[in-house]
Amino acid sequence: MREYRTEQIRNIGVIAHSGAGKTSLIEAMLYNGGAVERMGQVDQGTTVADYSPDEIERKTTLNCSVCIAEWNDHKLNIIDTPGAEDFYGDLESVLRVSDAVVVVIDATTGVEGGTEKVWEIADKYNLPRLIFVNKMDKENANFESALASVEEVLEVSTSVVQLPIGAEDDFKGVADLVQMSAIAKPDGNNPAPKSEIPSELEAQAEEYREQLVEAAAEGDDELIEKFFEGELTDEEISVGLQSGVSSCNVVPVLCGAALENIGVQQLMDSIVNCFPSPDNAKPIESADDETTLEASPDATMSTLVFKTMADPFSGRLTFFRVYSGILNGDSQVFNSTRGENEKIGKLAFSQGKTSISTTQVVAGDIGVVPKLSITQTGDTWCEAGDAIQLPGIEFPKPVISFAVKPLREGDDEKLISTLNRMTEEDPTFRLERNDITSQLLVSGLGELHISLTRERMKDRFSVETDVEPPKVPYRETLRRRVSGIQGRYKRQSGGRGQFGDCWINVSPLERGSGFEFVDSIVGGSIPRNYIPAVEKGIREKMEQGVIAGYPLVDTQIELYDGKYHPVDSSDFAFQMAGSLAFSTAADQANPALLEPIMDVSISVPEQFMGDIIGDLNSKRGQVMGVEQSGKRQVIQASVPLAEMLRYSIDLKSITSARGSFTMEFSRYEIVPDELAQKVVAMVKEE
Ligand code: GDP
Ligand code: MG
C-alpha cells in the first residue's frame, strides 16, 4: 500500500443496532476501494470484517475489526463494531480511537434499542456523525419513517443529503441534493453513473436542499449572509457542511443499500469531505491535561493501544492508534502505563484477518503488531524519557455474574489460568472468588458474552465449564444487646486438667462496622497472655455463623471478667471458654440474616417508567429518586442483590433492549424474617 499523510487519513467507527448492515456496508466500501475483488456476504461468512470462526458460525460481528478502503486519494480506516450490548467493551475502544462515526439505520425498522445506545456512547465522545439509512431495497423499507424515528428517538435534527429513488424492489439509486443529480447503482465498482433527478422527486428534492443549504450556512457568518442574499455554490455548501459536521451541529443523512452497493460511493465521498482528518479532529490532551498532543509526524511519539486479541494464526495481536509522531517498526518504545520498555517488531496495517506490512505508522493512523509481551489494552507507548499518558478507555461495567466450575474433575488449576487469560484479553470479563460462598465468579456484559467466552475457552484451551447462578453472599448479625454471659470450660481427667472461664457482654454495632473486641479485664482476673485465646475462640464461632453458616458481623464483644487456674489454664481452655460464651450470647441476642443491597441506576425511555417501577417493587426495591435525562428517565433504586441476579435479562424484556443499568454494592441489611427462614431452609437442604 502507498504511504498516506496524516491529513489524508480518516478514522471512522461504524456503529448501529445488530443486523442494520454495518459489516455489509464496510464490505461494499472495501469493494469500491478495490481492497476486495468481489463483495463478500455476512450470511456466507465471506466478509473481510467478520472473519473469526465464531463470527462466521454466528453470522454476526463479535469483535471490532479494522479495515482499509482507499478512496479519492484518502485512506479510510473503517472500524466495524459489534451491535450487541454484550460486546460494548469493543465499542468503547473503537469510539475512543475514531474521529467520527457512521451510524447505520435499517430502513425497514428505523431506530432500534441498540441504535439509541450506540448513539449515546458516540455523544459521550462528542464524535461528528453521519447517518446511513440502509436496506432501502428491502421489503417494507421506508426512508421517511426511518428519518422520523431518528428525529424523534435520537432527538437530533438531521440534514438530508440524499433521497432514495424508489424503494423496496423498485429501489434504483439516490438523489444527491448537493450536486442535484441522480446516482444509480454502479457497474461493479466503477464510478456510479449520474443523471437528472427524476421529475416526480424534484419538488421534494428542492425542499430538502433548501433546508440542507441553510444548515450548511448556519455555522458561518459569511455563508449565512450569502444564503439570505441568494445561492451558495456547491463548493460553499460542502465547506459549510464540513464545519457543521465537525462541530457536531449538522448530522447529514444519506441512504442506500449495502448489499446492492447503492449509495455507498457517495457515503465514501461524504466521509472524505465531511469528516475531520486526525490533525483537524478534536485535539487530544494527555491524561493529566498537561500536554496537548499534536497529530503531526514531527511531534514526539504517543500511541494508544485499544485492543489486544489472541489470533489463532499469529498469536497475540495488539491494535493501536498513533496520536502524535511516528511509530517505527523494529524499535523500542516505553510503555508509560506499565513503566517498562517493550520491543516492537514488524508493524502492519490491519485488513480484517489479513494485514499489510509497513515499516512505520504516522500520527493519526491505526496499525497492528504481533507477539508483544507486556502491553495490555488501554496502555500508552511513548519515547524513552517521556512519560506521556493518553486517556485510557472507559470500559462498561459487568451486569451479570455466574458461578463457574470445570466440567471435568481435576481441571481446577487449568480453569483458573484460562480464565485469567480471558480477563487479560477482555477488560469487560471479570473473575473473582467470593470468600463467603466459596464460589468462583465470572462477570460480563450479558449472557451471550459469558457463553461466548466459555466457548472460546473450550475451543482454544479445551477447558469445558459449567455455570450456575451465583449464590448470594449473606452474612449474619445480632440484634439485641445481652450482658453477663459466662463461658466456662473445665475438664478433669486424671493428670493435668483444663480450665478457662470468661464473662462477656455482646452489643450490636452499626452496619459495616465488622467486629470489635473490647478488653476490659482489670486486676488480672484473666492473665494478659490468655486474652488473645478468648478472642480467637469468639472469632472462630463468628466466622461459622449461628443461623445458616454465614459469617457474623457488626458485633462488639466486651470481655470484662473471668477466672483462671495456675496449673490447668491454657490457651486452648480459654479459646473454648470464649467460643462457649459467644454461642450462649448469640442464642439470646436475636440473630438475623443480612443480605447485600445494591445501588442500582436504571436508564429507560419514559414510556417504560411504570413497568420498571412495578418490577422494582416486586423485587423488594426502593426507588430513591428519578431524574430526567433528555427523553430518558434515570431511576435510582436500592434493591437486594438476591433479586438482581438476572436483571440484565429482565430489563431487556421489559424495555425491548432499550434500557440500560449499572449497579454497585451499597451495604448489608437485615433480611425480612419470612424470607430469612426460606434461605435457612435452602441452606440446610444443601
Ligand atoms: P451488522 O450486524 O450491522 O453488521 O449487519 P450485517 O452486515 O451483518 O447484516 C445483517 C443482515 O442484513 C445480513 O443478512 C445482510 O445480508 C443483510 N443486509 C445488509 N445490508 C443489506 C441491504 O442493503 N439490503 C438488504 N436487503 N439486506 C441487507
Ligand atoms: Mg456486523
Side-chain angles (χ1 to χ4, degrees):
M1 184 181 300
R2 52 167 282 206
E3 276 180 24
Y4 287 92
R5 297 185 309 278
T6 302
E7 59 271 24
Q8 293 171 300
I9 295 167
R10 298 289 182 277
N11 295 314
I12 315 118
V14 180
I15 63 176
H17 187 85
S18 251
K22 299 173 288 295
T23 304
S24 310
L25 181 63
I26 292 172
E27 188 72 14
M29 291 201 255
L30 296 179
Y31 176 62
N32 288 313
V36 292
E37 272 173 27
R38 76 173 66 85
M39 261 169 66
Q41 289 208 10
V42 174
D43 300 334
Q44 291 161 9
T46 51
T47 61
V48 175
D50 282 358
Y51 61 85
S52 70
D54 39 17
E55 290 178 316
I56 292 172
E57 187 193 320
R58 286 167 193 251
K59 302 186 172 56
T60 189
T61 309
L62 302 169
N63 272 305
C64 65
S65 60
V66 185
C67 307
I68 302 165
E70 299 179 81
W71 190 249
N72 286 352
D73 211 22
H74 285 74
K75 178 186 186 193
L76 315 189
N77 289 323
I78 311 168
I79 321 180
D80 196 10
T81 62
E85 238 176 311
D86 294 73
F87 310 107
Y88 275 9
D90 261 19
L91 185 73
E92 291 277 351
S93 291
V94 170
L95 295 190
R96 174 70 182 73
V97 297
S98 298
D99 294 316
V101 291
V102 171
V103 184
V104 183
I105 308 273
D106 183 333
T108 66
T109 59
V111 167
E112 295 165 270
T115 326
E116 258 178 293
K117 287 183 182 160
V118 297
W119 187 271
E120 255 176 48
I121 302 177
D123 274 344
K124 187 175 88 183
Y125 292 94
N126 225 337
L127 289 171
R129 63 205 88 168
L130 195 156
I131 291 171
F132 187 79
V133 178
N134 188 34
K135 302 195 191 179
M136 277 308 305
D137 62 314
K138 204 176 159 189
E139 201 181 327
N140 293 325
N142 187 324
F143 181 75
E144 298 284 335
S145 66
L147 189 64
S149 76
V150 167
E151 302 242 335
E152 194 200 312
V153 182
L154 303 181
E155 294 178 84
V156 56
S157 76
T158 56
S159 300
V160 175
V161 176
Q162 284 168 4
L163 285 171
I165 303 175
E168 305 178 307
D169 278 350
D170 196 31
F171 181 55
K172 295 192 195 70
V174 299
D176 187 289
L177 307 183
V178 179
Q179 305 166 22
M180 281 310 261
S181 58
I183 298 160
K185 178 180 163 82
D187 176 17
N189 62 358
N190 292 312
K194 292 182 187 170
S195 57
E196 299 245 309
I197 292 182
S199 54
E200 66 273 17
L201 214 62
E202 245 169 46
Q204 200 193 11
E206 283 297 347
E207 194 187 316
Y208 274 118
R209 181 182 155 93
E210 185 77 11
Q211 292 172 18
L212 171 70
V213 176
E214 184 171 358
E218 219 154 41
D220 186 311
D221 289 346
E222 217 174 291
L223 290 183
I224 199 80
E225 213 168 288
K226 278 195 176 162
F227 171 75
F228 286 119
E229 279 166 10
E231 271 293 286
L232 295 189
T233 63
D234 290 358
E235 175 65 25
E236 284 165 337
I237 300 173
S238 270
V239 170
L241 270 181
Q242 186 189 20
S243 76
V245 172
S246 286
S247 57
C248 294
N249 290 321
V250 177
V251 178
V253 178
L254 287 75
C255 62
L259 276 192
E260 298 287 324
N261 193 19
I262 299 179
V264 181
Q265 294 182 358
Q266 283 59 50
L267 171 66
M268 297 170 84
D269 287 343
S270 297
I271 289 174
V272 169
N273 295 335
C274 296
F275 280 163
S277 56
D279 53 329
N280 273 326
K282 205 169 42 131
I284 278 280
E285 306 274 337
S286 61
D288 59 8
D289 282 339
E290 301 254 305
T291 329
T292 303
L293 297 153
E294 208 191 323
S296 149
D298 305 325
T300 175
M301 187 274 288
S302 67
T303 295
L304 180 76
V305 170
F306 65 92
K307 169 98 181 158
T308 44
M309 65 188 290
D311 180 90
F313 310 105
S314 4
R316 210 157 103 113
L317 290 177
T318 301
F319 294 82
F320 58 85
R321 169 173 169 171
V322 179
Y323 275 89
S324 59
I326 295 177
L327 179 69
N328 289 302
D330 297 312
S331 67
Q332 179 166 294
V333 296
F334 178 61
N335 183 326
S336 56
T337 312
R338 315 224 158 245
E340 283 183 76
N341 291 325
E342 173 101 60
K343 265 199 82 60
I344 303 287
K346 301 269 170 269
L347 297 180
F349 297 119
S350 156
Q351 184 68 288
K353 98 172 134 191
T354 58
S355 59
I356 305 158
S357 13
T358 178
T359 53
Q360 61 170 45
V361 178
V362 299
D365 212 345
I366 289 174
V368 61
V369 58
K371 300 195 171 66
L372 298 187
S373 49
I374 302 162
T375 299
Q376 304 277 348
T377 305
D379 288 2
T380 299
W381 294 333
C382 54
E383 283 165 25
D386 278 344
I388 302 168
Q389 283 269 357
L390 292 165
I393 300 162
E394 251 180 69
F395 289 103
K397 296 205 175 66
V399 297
I400 196 161
S401 303
F402 288 96
V404 59
K405 53 185 182 207
L407 201 63
R408 282 187 302 266
E409 252 175 73
D411 261 2
D412 292 76
E413 257 171 46
K414 203 169 162 198
L415 172 70
I416 293 186
S417 70
T418 310
L419 284 168
N420 277 324
R421 280 186 81 142
M422 303 315 282
T423 58
E424 270 172 27
E425 206 175 287
D426 176 358
T428 61
F429 182 73
R430 310 261 178 93
L431 176 67
E432 169 197 9
R433 179 178 291 284
N434 190 295
D435 291 334
I436 298 181
T437 61
S438 309
Q439 285 183 317
L440 197 56
L441 298 179
V442 292
S443 323
L445 302 184
E447 276 186 308
L448 178 60
H449 182 205
I450 303 287
S451 70
L452 194 89
T453 308
R454 290 171 58 216
E455 261 173 53
R456 286 182 182 159
M457 287 170 48
K458 180 179 161 200
D459 294 345
R460 282 173 27 200
F461 305 100
S462 28
V463 176
E464 288 185 67
T465 51
D466 225 356
V467 290
E468 58 186 18
K471 290 183 188 153
V472 177
Y474 292 103
R475 288 178 175 169
E476 299 178 9
T477 195
L478 301 176
R479 280 184 276 203
R480 187 186 301 140
R481 176 180 159 84
V482 289
S483 48
I485 303 290
Q486 185 187 23
R488 185 181 176 87
Y489 186 74
K490 189 175 176 188
R491 293 284 182 278
Q492 202 71 54
S493 53
R496 188 187 150 188
Q498 294 280 5
F499 182 82
D501 181 287
C502 67
W503 290 79
I504 60 173
N505 297 324
V506 174
S507 328
L509 292 179
E510 251 180 62
R511 264 326 126 248
S513 331
F515 170 61
E516 217 176 281
F517 181 78
V518 181
D519 167 12
S520 333
I521 296 284
V522 283
S525 57
I526 298 176
R528 288 265 77 94
N529 56 316
Y530 291 135
I531 291 174
V534 178
E535 182 178 347
K536 188 173 172 209
I538 293 171
R539 274 187 189 272
E540 275 180 9
K541 267 280 171 265
M542 288 181 67
E543 278 304 309
Q544 294 162 12
V546 294
I547 312 174
Y550 296 105
L552 196 142
V553 295
D554 302 343
T555 304
Q556 186 202 65
I557 310 283
E558 183 190 8
L559 173 66
Y560 69 93
D561 201 0
K563 286 201 185 72
Y564 76 104
H565 185 278
V567 178
D568 291 349
S569 280
S570 65
D571 277 347
F572 174 76
F574 272 104
Q575 196 179 321
M576 293 304 289
S579 107
L580 286 169
F582 178 78
S583 295
T584 312
D587 280 348
Q588 298 175 22
N590 195 9
L593 201 63
L594 290 173
E595 65 179 340
I597 306 290
M598 310 303 281
D599 278 338
V600 185
S601 171
I602 309 158
S603 159
V604 292
E606 201 147 12
Q607 70 255 43
F608 300 110
M609 275 290 285
D611 290 346
I612 289 293
I613 290 182
D615 178 63
L616 285 175
N617 286 336
S618 76
K619 290 182 155 62
R620 301 188 283 131
Q622 231 183 323
V623 175
M624 311 304 285
V626 180
E627 253 175 55
Q628 183 99 21
S629 161
K631 274 196 180 164
R632 294 172 82 86
Q633 300 278 356
V634 181
I635 302 148
Q636 308 291 348
S638 239
V639 196
L641 173 67
E643 309 284 343
M644 291 298 286
L645 297 174
R646 294 174 62 82
Y647 195 62
S648 68
I649 299 158
D650 296 347
L651 184 63
K652 203 177 258 180
S653 80
I654 297 174
T655 63
S656 319
R658 292 180 66 189
S660 57
F661 83 106
T662 58
M663 73 175 175
E664 57 186 54
F665 169 76
S666 161
R667 61 193 180 274
Y668 272 85
E669 271 181 16
I670 290 179
V671 182
D673 280 335
E674 215 172 285
L675 261 170
Q677 280 166 17
K678 283 191 192 149
V679 175
V680 174
M682 229 169 57
V683 170
K684 294 226 163 103
E685 207 169 286
E686 275 177 21

